[in-house]
Amino acid sequence: MNTLRVKISVLLVIAIVSVMALMTFVLFLLLGPPPRSGHALDIAAKQVAMVAELAAKSPETLRLRPETRGHPYSRTTDALREKLKERGYNIDVVVTHSRRWRPGSLAVWIPIQDKGWLPMPITRLPPQGVPWWALLRWLFLITVGATAVAVFASSRMVRPLVFLENAVESVGPDGMMSELPEKGPAEVRATARALNSLSARLKRAMESRMRLVAAAGHDMRTPITRMRLRAEFVPDEEDREKWLNDIDELERIADSAILLVREETGAEAPERVDLDDLVGSICTELKQQDFDVTLAATHPVTVLAGRLKLNRALRNLIINAATHGVRARVGVGGDGTNAMVTIEDDGPGIPEEVLGQVFEPFFRADPARRQNIPGAGLGLTIAHEIVTRAGGSIQIVNRPGGGLLQTVFLPELREPETADTDSA
């Protein structure tokens, strides 16, 4: 009920029905109810009077009923009695019809000298008084017709918006939108053309940015190599060490930039990955490299992703926790829908005001940007890019007791359940 299409439909229905009801009410006030023809009622009164006179002369020959049958037609009964009185007959006839809510046959019941009732079939008579039921049926038909018109009109009106919504939902993890078909009404064609043009321009801009970053990272290697050779000949050992550390940092930045471009532009075929085994092998490898990593409780879960890229992403996150957070505790689990990898550390955490920027390239929590721990500041960015392309997400929050909690969510690959069949 909260969609724009429903709101427009309801508004149109209310507007159309209100206008028609107001017009009908005004016409009734100005012109009064439609005139009722009394000719048919006069003929019926004349026939009833004639039958009553004949029956009064020989009631023994008639087949009378002890009581009336059918559903009383009170307004028509009163009108027919008035017509009989105008003709000088004081007969308390009763008009009935065979069906209560649907049209049926009419009958006039004539009392015969307190001996019973004589039924007399008659043709249908026009209803008496204000035709409220006819007005209600009229308004009901208007409402049904207005609803059909409103639904059709609202669907046409919101079609470009639905088209935009579908276009936005078609944007993949890489930020690219598939080409939209340029067909349909003029507005939809114009919208599709504009979106396709926008998507093409964005794609060209992103490719240009990636080429620029890759070229810059690649071209930096030659001067970095020359700087390293010159630094080796610095006579002062302390100065030489500082030069080499700075050159190492530049080289890490260049390599990380090239790696980021490869992650955004490269494609790896997804495969079944046992996440618990993958995380266990990463933790074992990092322990051998003297990282303080502890593998906590794990549960078997399977995901569909590129093994090498997922290995790189999880490795970056665990190393980030083990270096900046002193130590890392890793766990693997799932809730039936998502597979989850949790990584806790005991570091100082990240200020809440900058926590939303952790996935930006070259982000550092230290505003002074002191380089106490080697790194280019692209590890979380690369990990976020890989996990997002795999259909997952990364959540990073500060733990109440201190440190960070990193949670990686990936769609869990469920095995199809097969029923066991007994062998014959």
Side-chain angles (χ1 to χ4, degrees):
M1 288 295 294
N2 200 26
T3 62
L4 182 61
R5 178 182 301 175
V6 173
K7 291 181 179 179
I8 293 177
S9 301
V10 172
L11 182 61
L12 289 175
V13 170
I14 293 176
I16 295 174
V17 174
S18 299
V19 170
M20 295 303 298
L22 182 62
M23 291 177 59
T24 304
F25 179 72
V26 171
L27 289 176
F28 261 77
L29 288 180
L30 296 178
L31 304 178
R36 299 291 180 180
S37 174
H39 183 64
L41 204 58
D42 288 335
I43 295 176
K46 184 177 180 180
Q47 293 175 349
V48 169
M50 185 182 302
V51 170
E53 289 179 354
L54 293 176
K57 294 179 180 179
S58 56
E60 297 82 7
T61 60
L62 300 175
R63 185 178 179 182
L64 303 179
R65 300 288 178 84
E67 59 183 10
T68 61
R69 295 182 181 180
H71 304 283
Y73 214 171
S74 56
R75 291 186 177 179
T76 305
T77 298
D78 296 338
L80 184 58
R81 289 178 179 179
E82 290 294 328
K83 287 293 183 180
L84 291 171
K85 288 181 180 180
E86 292 177 3
R87 290 179 170 273
Y89 297 93
N90 189 14
I91 305 175
D92 293 332
V93 297
V94 176
V95 181
T96 63
H97 52 112
S98 57
R99 299 174 182 175
R100 180 179 293 274
W101 303 115
R102 293 180 296 171
S105 59
L106 292 181
V108 178
W109 295 84
I110 306 172
I112 305 299
Q113 299 176 359
D114 297 332
K115 295 181 179 181
W117 296 85
L118 175 64
M120 172 186 167
I122 59 173
T123 58
R124 290 193 57 81
L125 299 175
Q128 307 299 312
V130 180
W132 295 112
W133 285 110
L135 289 176
L136 292 177
R137 288 194 296 267
W138 161 250
L139 290 178
F140 174 76
L141 292 176
I142 290 178
T143 302
V144 173
T147 301
V149 172
V151 170
F152 175 77
S154 61
S155 298
R156 294 296 299 269
M157 292 172 66
V158 303
R159 183 179 297 177
L161 298 179
V162 174
F163 187 79
L164 287 175
E165 180 183 0
N166 295 334
V168 172
E169 290 179 352
S170 68
V171 177
D174 56 353
M176 292 291 101
M177 181 176 61
S178 57
E179 186 175 359
L180 303 174
E182 299 180 8
K183 59 182 181 179
E187 297 83 359
V188 176
R189 293 198 305 270
T191 303
R193 197 159 41 245
L195 289 175
N196 288 335
S197 176
L198 174 62
S199 177
R201 291 198 301 270
L202 289 175
K203 184 176 181 180
R204 288 194 298 268
M206 293 181 65
E207 291 176 349
S208 176
R209 185 193 69 173
M210 291 297 103
R211 287 194 299 268
L212 177 63
V213 174
H218 185 271
D219 293 343
M220 284 177 64
R221 288 181 172 179
T222 301
I224 287 175
T225 303
R226 290 200 300 263
M227 292 172 63
R228 183 180 297 278
L229 290 174
R230 291 172 183 171
E232 293 291 344
F233 294 99
V234 173
D236 187 272
E237 183 176 353
E238 184 178 354
D239 287 343
R240 183 171 62 251
E241 188 67 25
K242 291 180 179 179
W243 274 101
L244 291 176
N245 289 337
D246 290 341
I247 292 172
D248 287 340
E249 182 180 355
L250 286 174
E251 193 168 14
R252 285 193 298 268
I253 292 175
D255 292 341
S256 298
I258 295 174
L259 182 60
L260 177 62
V261 172
R262 289 175 181 173
E263 295 299 340
E264 291 196 2
T265 58
E268 181 184 1
E271 58 180 294
R272 290 169 49 90
V273 178
D274 294 329
L275 194 58
D276 52 323
D277 292 340
L278 178 63
V279 172
S281 64
I282 294 174
C283 292
T284 301
E285 179 185 351
L286 293 179
K287 282 182 181 180
Q288 295 173 356
Q289 300 176 11
D290 296 331
F291 286 101
D292 190 351
V293 178
T294 302
L295 182 61
T298 62
H299 299 279
V301 286
T302 306
V303 297
L304 188 65
R307 177 179 292 274
L308 294 178
K309 290 190 174 184
L310 185 58
N311 179 82
R312 186 178 299 119
L314 296 175
R315 182 185 176 88
N316 286 350
L317 294 173
I318 297 173
I319 291 177
N320 181 76
T323 53
H324 297 275
V326 183
R327 62 186 58 86
R329 293 179 296 277
V330 186
V332 181
D335 58 3
T337 302
N338 292 315
M340 294 176 290
V341 179
T342 58
I343 307 170
E344 297 181 356
D345 63 54
D346 297 330
I350 298 176
E352 292 290 341
E353 59 270 15
V354 296
L355 195 58
Q357 306 173 18
V358 293
F359 299 120
E360 296 182 2
F362 307 108
F363 168 79
R364 297 190 191 280
D366 185 359
R369 299 183 67 85
R370 291 189 297 269
Q371 184 69 11
N372 298 324
I373 299 174
L378 289 175
L380 287 179
T381 304
I382 295 174
H384 182 261
E385 182 70 23
I386 294 173
V387 173
T388 301
R389 285 177 178 268
S393 62
I394 302 177
Q395 182 183 39
I396 298 181
V397 296
N398 287 307
R399 293 196 304 123
L404 284 179
L405 171 61
Q406 305 177 77
T407 307
V408 179
F409 298 93
L410 288 168
E412 184 175 354
L413 185 62
R414 304 293 295 175
E415 295 290 345
E417 297 183 359
T418 57
D420 294 331
T421 57
D422 295 330
S423 59

